[in-house]
Amino acid sequence: MSKAIEHLRVAHHLALKAHHSSEFDAAALMRTWPRLALAVRDVEQALGLADHDRVVERISADAEAIAVTLGNQLWPGPGGTDSSLTAICRALGTTAEHARSTQVDSKAQGEARRLIASIMWTTSRLVGQANRDLHFDLTVGNPDASTAQLDSAARD
């Protein structure tokens, strides 16, 4: 098995583990997830995977848009990143480095596609769940609060 696939398996394991190891800070997850989506796109390109449905490309474009708007929004504002997602990004970076220097056979490409899809689904679900939970906590705890008040509470 190629080193690239071995490292992609590590990234996948970290993505699954993130549901239990993340700080579950919605703002930190939002600041980190675009970087992760772009790292997945880099792995896909480095492995030479054909994405006929362009799923990773579409998600990466969304991630780039999120990254741009993060700097112009009150929430999540500046701050730290999520350490669990950052660890996945590092593993994906290592995967891309190895993928550029070795050929991956068609069986390994199939596994890579499956792992990439699972990483994207698992991490986007984590980010979405943390954001839904934050929104619920803010709105249920403050049913009469205005959007500006909720934005302020989310930053605090």
Side-chain angles (χ1 to χ4, degrees), residues 124-154:
S124 64
R125 186 170 183 274
L126 172 64
V127 174
Q129 183 179 355
N131 280 283
R132 278 189 307 275
D133 288 354
L134 174 64
H135 182 262
F136 179 83
D137 291 345
L138 293 173
T139 56
V140 170
N142 302 303
D144 298 322
S146 69
T147 303
Q149 289 169 320
L150 294 176
D151 284 342
S152 175

Side-chain angles (χ1 to χ4, degrees), residues 1-10 47 91 94-99 101-104:
M1 187 57 55
S2 80
K3 289 278 189 193
I5 299 301
E6 288 176 23
H7 287 286
L8 189 55
R9 286 178 180 162
V10 169
L47 287 169
T94 303
T95 300
E97 288 174 25
H98 285 285
S101 63
T102 58
Q103 288 288 346
V104 178

Side-chain angles (χ1 to χ4, degrees), residues 5-148:
I5 299 301
E6 288 176 23
H7 287 286
L8 189 55
R9 286 178 180 162
V10 169
H12 181 252
H13 174 76
L14 291 170
L16 295 174
K17 186 178 167 187
H19 281 272
H20 305 287
S21 60
S22 170
E23 294 93 12
F24 217 66
D25 176 346
L29 287 162
M30 276 302 291
R31 285 189 289 270
T32 314
W33 193 80
R35 184 174 147 220
L36 186 143
L38 296 173
V40 167
R41 182 179 68 189
D42 190 36
V43 167
E44 184 183 66
Q45 290 173 347
L47 287 169
L49 299 178
D51 183 7
H52 301 291
D53 298 326
R54 301 173 67 186
V55 173
V56 172
E57 182 181 341
R58 290 169 198 230
I59 292 171
S60 297
D62 289 344
E64 285 179 305
I66 289 169
V68 168
T69 61
L70 287 177
N72 302 325
Q73 302 285 330
L74 293 175
W75 188 88
T81 57
D82 181 81
S83 61
S84 295
L85 294 190
T86 299
I88 299 166
C89 289
R90 280 194 302 271
L92 290 169
T94 303
T95 300
E97 288 174 25
H98 285 285
R100 287 185 190 94
S101 63
T102 58
Q103 288 288 346
V104 178
D105 63 34
S106 61
K107 182 179 176 185
Q109 285 184 347
E111 181 179 3
R113 282 187 192 88
R114 181 186 60 78
L115 293 170
I116 286 171
S118 182
I119 289 167
M120 293 299 283
W121 184 83
T122 301
T123 56
S124 64
R125 186 170 183 274
L126 172 64
V127 174
Q129 183 179 355
N131 280 283
R132 278 189 307 275
D133 288 354
L134 174 64
H135 182 262
F136 179 83
D137 291 345
L138 293 173
T139 56
V140 170
N142 302 303
D144 298 322
S146 69
T147 303

